[in-house]
Amino acid sequence: MITTPAFKDRKFAILGLARSGLAAARSLVAGGAEILAWDNDEGARAKIADIANIGDPLLADLSGYDAIVVSPGVPINRHPIADKAKAEGLPLIGDIELFAMARASLPPHHVVGITGTNGKSTTTALVHHLLSSAGLPVRMGGNIGLPILSQAPLPAGGVYVLELSSYQIDITHSLSCDAAALINLSPDHLDRYDGYAGYVASKAHLFDMQTGNTHSVFGKGDADTEQVYRDVLARRGAELVHLADPALVAGQADWPSLQGPHNLQNIAVAIAIMESLGVTEAQWRPALATFQGLAHRMEVVAERNGVLFVNDSKATNAASTAPALAAYPRVHWIVGGLPKSDNLDECIPNFGHVVKAYTIGEAGPLFHELLSPHMPVERSEMMGTAVCSAAAQAEPGDVIMLSPACASFDQFKDFEARGDAFRAIVEAL
């Protein structure tokens, strides 16, 4: 694990003992800290009963404590732990801030931090792949894979690549990334913020933390991201701030797991990060062809009678579905779930690529009404019905794509379960 002597003889309260909280607890104790830890799940508490004082920080006297460590899943805009922290004069931090505190004890290294509304996971995995292919020691963590604190420290010259959600950035205060990237912005998670402006400010905080000769990278394509770019450019200067223009990227047709305009933007951001770290084109370009896409993100799961089946279950809003529709000329579109908004406006420019739509889930009636003026629509309700109907109607060269533009929680526990169900239905064909 990653730890540091900087934790020695300090006291931390921990709220939430899922993966990141558990990793934080073990790292803190290994570094010599004393911890008070709590989770509503008795099983989670039992996992650290041998190393922690068990108690709810909301009810405890936290005099003499240094910070409260919270899970990113704790809604600090409305959870009483925020008032508790304010009353006690303690910062609310997360495992990424603990990693930032540990950096001084680690062998010389670089940190890449990647955020955005859509494309974070793919871009993070792509950067990890390109660095690994270039022969650099690399670890991937944050909002993807294993918690970074639970992983072994890298040798000198290594690179830690972190996917960072807005929730994680909110409880991080001193992480100066050597390369920080914002891919794009669109309204999301607004229940956690004071409007969309608050969400944008959360993402922009990643760049507020940068110091010294560090690089800031921005996607090109939406006005809000480009406004943050201009703000950071004015503050940090052109040598350190880069706008990653997808129009300058050539060769996408040779990279099978990186199709579609959204992936072209992801590639442009990844290339800018590579160049900021001194990785040459001769090193990164060959590796683009060997990148294997992530599950549930434009994942080709099968080909049957000349028809491709694509699992894009991770597309939980219209902004992330729009580029998926743009990636193929003839799409049978499986869409629906628990809607995040009452429109599909971001998808409208790509409606011409849709042969037919098949609506599922709670959003089915609304989406049927929205889409019917633009394309043939079939009320399917259930995933299996939609897949089977689309498979019966699709012609060679067509694509049957699950890209729901919705959350999954009406019919599935998460987007992974939804994508797994799609794959299983396709395999059953």
Side-chain angles (χ1 to χ4, degrees):
M1 73 180 74
I2 291 172
T3 189
T4 175
F7 296 156
K8 186 172 175 57
D9 298 326
R10 302 180 74 179
K11 297 175 72 174
F12 295 84
I14 301 176
L15 181 63
L17 294 170
R19 294 193 306 165
S20 65
L22 191 61
R26 290 172 173 162
S27 175
L28 286 167
V29 171
E34 178 184 339
I35 62 173
L36 174 74
W38 184 257
D39 191 290
N40 289 334
D41 179 14
E42 184 178 353
R45 301 196 299 268
K47 291 179 181 178
I48 60 159
D50 58 331
I51 62 170
N53 299 312
I54 303 299
D56 188 342
L58 281 171
L59 306 176
D61 178 3
L62 299 182
S63 301
Y65 278 73
D66 293 276
I68 301 173
V69 181
V70 295
S71 162
V74 174
I76 59 174
N77 62 323
R78 59 182 186 273
H79 195 284
I81 196 63
D83 291 334
K84 175 75 169 183
K86 184 177 181 180
E88 299 279 359
L90 297 176
L92 282 177
I93 66 173
D95 66 314
I96 302 300
E97 178 63 19
L98 293 175
F99 169 72
M101 294 167 63
R103 290 186 65 187
S105 304
L106 299 174
H109 62 275
H110 290 99
V111 171
V112 174
I114 298 169
T115 194
T117 303
N118 298 306
K120 296 187 297 297
S121 296
T122 294
T123 306
T124 301
L126 178 58
V127 168
H128 177 271
H129 173 74
L130 298 180
L131 291 170
S132 179
S133 297
L136 294 171
V138 61
R139 295 270 187 271
M140 181 172 67
N143 200 43
I144 187 172
L146 297 173
I148 196 63
L149 292 176
S150 69
Q151 301 188 51
L154 288 168
V159 185
Y160 298 91
V161 184
L162 306 177
E163 177 190 335
L164 298 172
S165 69
S166 59
Y167 301 166
Q168 289 169 309
I169 296 171
D170 290 339
I171 48 177
T172 303
H173 311 296
S174 66
L175 180 71
S176 178
C177 295
D178 297 277
L182 174 64
I183 305 166
N184 51 45
L185 285 166
S186 59
D188 204 9
H189 304 305
L190 299 187
D191 59 317
R192 292 278 292 257
Y193 297 98
D194 183 15
Y196 181 47
Y199 172 70
V200 172
S202 172
K203 297 289 194 183
H205 180 56
L206 181 63
F207 306 96
D208 297 337
M209 293 185 282
Q210 287 188 286
T211 58
N213 191 35
T214 56
H215 292 262
S216 306
V217 175
F218 296 88
K220 186 179 192 310
D222 69 86
D224 298 313
T225 299
E226 293 188 36
Q227 182 59 56
V228 179
Y229 158 73
R230 288 190 291 271
D231 293 343
V232 176
L233 178 65
R235 188 171 74 246
R236 307 199 71 224
E239 289 187 3
L240 300 176
V241 182
H242 315 276
L243 190 63
D245 188 348
L248 302 179
V249 178
Q252 188 184 22
D254 299 324
W255 310 322
S257 292
L258 292 164
Q259 296 303 295
H262 60 313
N263 274 324
L264 196 61
Q265 180 66 87
N266 296 339
I267 294 163
V269 169
I271 290 172
I273 291 170
M274 291 302 103
E275 293 177 347
S276 76
L277 296 175
V279 178
T280 67
E281 182 171 356
Q283 292 173 294
W284 58 254
R285 182 169 285 275
L288 287 167
T290 59
F291 176 68
Q292 297 295 313
L294 297 174
H296 314 297
R297 296 162 177 86
M298 293 290 287
E299 175 194 14
V300 177
V301 298
E303 181 177 352
R304 174 179 179 266
N305 299 332
V307 175
L308 279 183
F309 293 79
V310 176
N311 168 23
D312 193 38
S313 182
K314 182 63 170 66
T316 59
N317 55 50
S320 53
T321 288
L325 296 179
Y328 298 100
R330 287 180 55 84
V331 177
H332 292 259
W333 179 23
I334 300 173
V335 58
L338 187 64
K340 289 186 173 181
S341 75
D342 60 0
N343 65 74
L344 292 166
D345 290 355
E346 291 94 338
C347 298
I348 290 174
N350 301 318
F351 278 176
H353 291 212
V354 180
V355 178
K356 188 172 185 177
Y358 307 78
T359 62
I360 63 172
E362 186 175 311
L366 169 64
F367 285 2
H368 183 273
E369 181 180 347
L370 290 174
L371 296 174
S372 291
H374 306 280
M375 65 191 70
V377 184
E378 187 172 306
R379 286 277 296 274
S380 300
E381 308 301 344
M382 305 301 292
M383 176 93 71
T385 305
V387 173
C388 293
S389 182
Q393 298 176 62
E395 301 174 357
D398 289 358
V399 172
I400 296 173
M401 181 189 295
L402 169 68
S403 191
C406 285
S408 59
F409 306 123
D410 56 338
Q411 295 180 327
F412 303 94
K413 71 173 184 177
D414 51 33
F415 75 84
E416 290 99 336
R418 177 169 62 189
D420 290 342
F422 176 77
R423 185 187 298 108
I425 294 163
V426 171
E427 289 172 351
L429 292 175

